[in-house]
Amino acid sequence: MTTTEAATARTYGNLIGAGWREPSGGQTFESINPARRSEVIGHFARGTAEDVELAVRAASAAQPDWARTPVPARAEILARAGRILEERKEELAQLMTREMGKVLTEARGDVQEGIDMAKYMAGQGRNPVGEVVPSELRQKRAFAERVPIGVVGCITPWNFPMAIPCWKLMPALLAGNAVVFKPAEDTPLVAIKLAEILIEAGLPAGVLGLVTGLGEEAGAALVEHPGVRAISFTGSVKVGQEIAAACGRLSKRVSLELGGKNAMLVSADADLELALEGAIWGAFGTTGQRCTATSRFIVQEMVLASFTEQLVARVQKLRLGDGLDPETDVGPVINEVQLRRIHGYTEVGQKESARLLTGGNVATRGALAEGNFYEPTIFSEVGPEMRIAQEEIFGPVLCIIPFEDDNEAVEIANGTIYGLAAQVESGSLERAEAIAHRLRAGSVNVNGGLYHAPDSPFGGYKQSGVGREMGVLGFDEYTEVKLLAYGQREGAGQQ
Ligand code: NAD
């Protein structure tokens, strides 16, 4: 894109009440294509505390009527949103690849997760919710109702620009809350498209507010706002902990989906072909930018040499490029800051005396120089305590760690601050299950990659998170429990 084209890229506002408004501070920021930094996707409102104030005010005004709307009617709006997402899936996926960089097949999967969540939550709108509590008194009946919290703040990262917002917005709205949504600064346009679709589907004005902008400005203002009674956050551990501290101080409900340093355990009796396929997808799918990316391969000594040799040979064949090109296996990383951060970890690994087997550089060949590309990188001879084996890199970097027996493998796998996902590969289901039971992670997969579905709870142990997303547990995060007991005074009406 030329400078003139960049200058003509559209400017988008914040969704406040019934319409889109310019930011109160008058400032904007750009979203750019990570595969081609000269391509500006759009200019977006740099939301301020004042914009958050306006959005929360509109949401607070709209929420009581939304809460009185029958649940099946709320669900029907979500179902319609699901249908619109489905009709526009290809267009949204292409936009996502341009804005975020993931290869098109993955971008389609990301939109599909949004569609699935909309449909699942629409179905939930016809399910019984709450409990009839056995009453201790003859003339009272007691119910534990699930009622809306009020106004909920949703703060999301850039790596699943459609799926993660849908995991939050769909249950929060179904439960009768109003939502103020602050998407990641790298992917505001996909978020705006989702908001437009919910409005087209019939969501009443004010029930959804959207404020784009920086985390420390718009995001922090949302967390601090007294009218927002719960925060649902997905992102880094550091920011998640700051948000949790603020929510603790303000007595706000908070749920957190944070980072991971996920392990794949490959035992000597594993199907090596399947393990290799899993390794390549786990480490280099989404360019390693998934909270569930497999970044530690814990491989039994007996098969270490052959596994490593075959893995390196295959990884060297992966093609880097623009995710819109069907030939591309691995897309760009999200921005230049991440590119430098990832390379910093390569340097750390080398200083720690891990052995760099392949990759380890910013890719600059031909058109790759125009975007944020990093070579798929593998380190072997990695010690479990090294920083590259402990810290989330969030890029295409994989560490191979050897193990001798299953006890050692479990100890290494559990030996980080994280506990999001893990994978066990073994020809013996009995052995794999025994290992799986000892792994401290929210999702454990035996002989296959991450299982993920809208009705399956997702979340982390330890510093990977607090609470669960998706499924019934994910819905419950957006409700208060009200014990409602009613009936006559004891003794009344008995004469
Ligand atoms: P991030 O923490 O930098 O930002 C996430 C969101 O928080 C963005 O919208 C950002 O603007 C906002 N934010 C930043 N500072 C804030 C503040 N002080 N107050 C309020 N909001 C603030 O994370 P990121 O770089 O966008 O995403 C990558 C991280 O997300 C990785 O650590 C990854 O593991 C994690 N992640 C976790 C899951 C999961 O489900 N567990 C899923 C995807 C990503």
Side-chain angles (χ1 to χ4, degrees):
M1 192 180 262
T2 63
T3 318
T4 334
E5 278 175 295
T8 56
R10 223 188 111 183
T11 300
Y12 298 83
N14 290 318
L15 175 61
I16 292 174
W20 296 89
R21 293 171 59 139
E22 285 181 16
S24 55
Q27 287 187 297
T28 58
F29 65 98
E30 287 177 346
S31 168
I32 59 172
N33 182 342
R36 205 147 54 102
R37 284 186 296 264
S38 57
E39 182 183 342
V40 177
I41 305 292
H43 304 272
F44 298 87
R46 181 166 160 179
T48 61
E50 201 179 324
D51 298 311
V52 168
E53 169 65 33
L54 293 172
V56 174
R57 219 184 283 162
S60 306
Q63 193 268 332
D65 195 49
W66 178 242
R68 280 192 297 271
T69 305
V71 185
R74 299 202 293 254
E76 185 47 38
I77 292 173
L78 302 188
R80 263 202 299 277
R83 289 195 289 274
I84 302 171
L85 282 168
E86 210 159 25
E87 282 158 22
R88 294 179 52 189
K89 179 174 169 181
E90 187 57 26
E91 166 209 333
L92 292 165
Q94 296 208 11
L95 168 65
M96 185 185 298
T97 295
R98 283 177 55 227
E99 186 169 50
M100 182 270 162
K102 66 174 69 177
V103 296
L104 189 54
T105 46
E106 286 186 39
R108 290 185 187 123
D110 192 319
V111 179
Q112 187 61 45
E113 290 201 39
I115 295 167
D116 293 345
M117 197 61 187
K119 287 183 176 175
Y120 169 68
M121 280 299 160
Q124 280 295 105
R126 288 280 177 186
N127 275 348
V129 175
E131 292 163 26
V132 178
V133 181
S135 170
E136 283 194 341
L137 303 173
R138 285 170 188 269
Q139 287 164 303
K140 276 211 193 296
R141 301 175 58 149
F143 304 90
E145 283 191 310
R146 289 267 172 191
V147 298
I149 298 172
V151 178
V152 172
C154 295
I155 303 176
T156 58
W158 44 264
N159 62 338
F160 282 86
M162 182 63 84
I164 292 177
C166 286
W167 300 347
K168 297 184 188 306
L169 266 55
M170 300 299 169
L173 293 169
L174 181 71
N177 301 289
V179 172
V180 178
F181 172 26
K182 207 305 274 173
E185 35 281 66
D186 285 300
T187 50
L189 190 50
V190 175
I192 286 174
K193 295 292 165 193
L194 174 61
E196 286 174 352
I197 286 169
L198 282 160
I199 294 166
E200 188 184 333
L203 200 66
V207 172
L208 176 64
L210 185 149
V211 181
T212 55
L214 310 187
E216 54 277 25
E217 294 175 1
L222 189 59
V223 171
E224 293 288 332
H225 198 293
V228 176
R229 292 311 317 151
I231 295 289
S232 175
F233 172 81
T234 300
S236 59
V237 168
K238 179 179 166 289
V239 174
Q241 289 179 342
E242 283 168 20
I243 288 178
C247 288
R249 172 168 46 79
L250 298 164
S251 304
K252 273 186 198 192
R253 185 86 73 85
V254 64
S255 61
L256 307 170
E257 298 294 342
L258 308 176
K261 191 74 190 176
N262 312 294
M264 176 171 163
L265 278 62
V266 183
S267 58
D269 62 0
D271 178 330
L272 280 196
E273 183 54 36
L274 285 184
L276 282 169
E277 268 177 35
I280 290 168
W281 160 249
F284 303 110
T286 329
T287 322
Q289 304 171 110
R290 290 193 319 275
C291 52
T292 53
T294 315
S295 50
R296 294 182 299 151
F297 285 82
I298 307 179
V299 184
Q300 197 155 21
E301 296 268 17
M302 285 170 267
V303 289
L304 183 66
S306 65
F307 180 83
T308 305
E309 190 187 327
Q310 291 180 60
L311 186 65
V312 170
R314 291 194 195 192
V315 167
Q316 284 173 339
K317 292 200 186 102
L318 293 174
R319 285 157 306 198
L320 284 177
D322 187 330
L324 288 177
D325 180 346
E327 298 289 301
T328 297
D329 297 308
V330 180
V333 302
I334 188 71
N335 55 39
E336 288 179 281
V337 173
Q338 253 321 89
L339 195 62
R340 284 195 292 275
R341 193 171 161 270
I342 293 165
H343 189 61
Y345 272 107
T346 293
E347 291 171 343
V348 166
Q350 286 172 313
K351 279 202 198 103
E352 288 179 310
S353 309
R355 189 159 159 228
L356 180 63
L357 295 180
T358 188
N361 286 303
V362 173
T364 52
R365 191 174 22 86
L368 297 180
E370 294 170 29
N372 310 319
F373 291 94
Y374 201 78
E375 295 171 353
T377 299
I378 301 179
F379 277 105
S380 68
E381 296 171 29
V382 177
E385 303 307 324
M386 289 182 184
R387 279 184 62 198
I388 55 167
Q390 288 288 324
E391 298 176 18
E392 187 184 47
I393 299 174
F394 224 58
V397 181
L398 160 69
C399 299
I400 302 179
I401 307 172
F403 77 89
E404 277 177 18
D405 62 37
D406 292 359
N407 283 338
E408 188 191 6
V410 170
E411 197 179 315
I412 295 170
N414 286 338
T416 74
I417 59 166
Y418 297 106
L420 192 59
Q423 188 171 337
V424 186
E425 294 289 322
S426 168
S428 155
L429 207 52
E430 206 181 345
R431 177 180 177 189
E433 267 196 314
I435 295 174
H437 283 300
R438 296 169 65 195
L439 293 176
R440 297 191 50 73
S443 299
V444 180
N445 299 273
V446 171
N447 292 341
L450 183 75
Y451 177 78
H452 212 51
D455 52 3
S456 306
F458 174 72
Y461 282 33
K462 299 189 275 179
Q463 293 191 31
S464 286
V466 177
R468 287 294 178 270
E469 224 149 26
M470 299 190 274
V472 175
L473 293 177
F475 174 82
D476 288 351
E477 298 274 344
Y478 297 98
T479 63
E480 289 282 11
V481 177
K482 179 187 278 181
L483 182 70
L484 178 65
Y486 73 86
Q488 293 174 316
R489 262 186 303 118
E490 196 68 1
Q494 286 186 347
Q495 281 79 16

